[in-house]
Amino acid sequence: MKTAILLGATGLTGGYLLKILLNDPNYKKVKVFSRSSVGFEHEKLEEHLVDLLKVEDYKDSFNADEVYCCIGTTKSQTPDKETYKKIDMGIPVTAAKLCRENKIDTFLVISALGADANSGVFYNKVKGEMQHEVLEQGITNTYIFQPSLIAGDREEERFFEKLAIKGMKVFNNLLVGSLKKYRSIHPKTIAKAMHICANSGYPKILIESDEIQKLASE
């Protein structure tokens, strides 16, 4: 019977993952660290309403068998680049450091396809730097998920993102062979793949979008 920590449970992928973990009899407790409540109660659910930008202040409560990090923002949500970096890089890296300090040997985090610390594109660069810093912590079982465009229903309106998602649904069938990894992917698929990796392992650390899709369908 395991305990899991989940960061980002109120987001698209995190919401699906939370339900998967709560319904899995192998877990006795799921600790959610979030700035807002998930909006329901469950006998396994333990909510910690905290400032995630200061998650290191909650080190004593940050104990589990594995940590899932589904934290992420967007340019439209967070136009200020400094704040964006604090969220998309700062929170996952701090969580990984807490895993190392508290001897948690399994850490799973969502990055993005195209993440590259040397990229000239700010958002790809931030994701790449995050990946590098996470790997520097030396956590035994580290899995970094690199999805393409995440296609799911969001509460807030993002007109151009919705257009892109609709376009990708049509375009997906044209992406074959080595281009499969660029197909849009559903957040539930990512959540399922993360859960599988935590419980069954995977031979790779960096898991691209097409591999995520394949993992979740097995």
Side-chain angles (χ1 to χ4, degrees), residues 84-104:
Y84 181 96
K85 191 169 183 177
K86 286 180 179 178
I87 296 170
D88 263 44
M89 179 178 174
I91 296 174
V93 171
T94 300
K97 289 179 178 178
L98 289 175
C99 284
R100 185 197 68 218
E101 293 169 9
N102 288 351
K103 298 182 176 8
I104 302 171

Side-chain angles (χ1 to χ4, degrees), residues 124-143:
N124 289 354
K125 181 178 176 66
V126 169
K127 291 291 190 184
E129 290 175 344
M130 179 274 287
Q131 292 181 175
H132 175 76
E133 291 296 322
V134 164
L135 292 174
E136 283 288 297
Q137 306 314 310
I139 302 164
T140 304
N141 304 305
T142 299
Y143 302 103

Side-chain angles (χ1 to χ4, degrees), residues 159-177:
F159 177 72
F160 290 108
E161 183 172 309
K162 286 186 175 182
L163 276 182
I165 288 171
K166 287 182 179 179
M168 284 298 291
K169 286 181 179 179
V170 175
F171 196 51
N172 274 351
N173 291 331
L174 302 177
L175 297 172
V176 297

Side-chain angles (χ1 to χ4, degrees), residues 24-25 36 39 62 65 81 105 121 163 193 210:
D24 186 338
S36 58
F62 206 90
D65 297 287
K81 289 184 176 181
D105 64 6
V121 179
L163 276 182
D210 55 330

Side-chain angles (χ1 to χ4, degrees), residues 53-123:
L53 293 175
K54 299 178 181 178
V55 71
E56 66 273 12
D57 293 344
Y58 309 96
K59 179 180 177 180
D60 290 344
S61 302
F62 206 90
N63 291 288
D65 297 287
E66 56 207 29
V67 173
Y68 296 86
C69 186
C70 300
I71 291 293
T73 186
T74 64
K75 183 179 179 180
S76 60
Q77 283 180 314
T78 313
D80 180 73
K81 289 184 176 181
E82 183 178 346
T83 304
Y84 181 96
K85 191 169 183 177
K86 286 180 179 178
I87 296 170
D88 263 44
M89 179 178 174
I91 296 174
V93 171
T94 300
K97 289 179 178 178
L98 289 175
C99 284
R100 185 197 68 218
E101 293 169 9
N102 288 351
K103 298 182 176 8
I104 302 171
D105 64 6
T106 300
F107 182 71
L108 307 96
V109 61
I110 297 176
S111 180
L113 196 64
D116 181 356
N118 297 313
S119 176
V121 179
F122 173 77
Y123 303 98

Side-chain angles (χ1 to χ4, degrees), residues 4-10 18 22 29-50 52 58 61:
I5 287 174
L6 173 57
L7 304 171
T10 57
L18 177 59
L22 291 175
K29 184 184 296 183
V30 181
K31 296 182 179 181
V32 167
F33 284 75
S34 177
R35 65 180 179 180
S36 58
S37 175
V38 297
F40 64 86
E41 295 182 357
H42 191 282
E43 60 182 2
K44 295 183 183 179
L45 177 62
E46 180 179 298
E47 286 196 289
H48 296 259
L49 301 184
V50 304
L52 288 175
Y58 309 96
S61 302

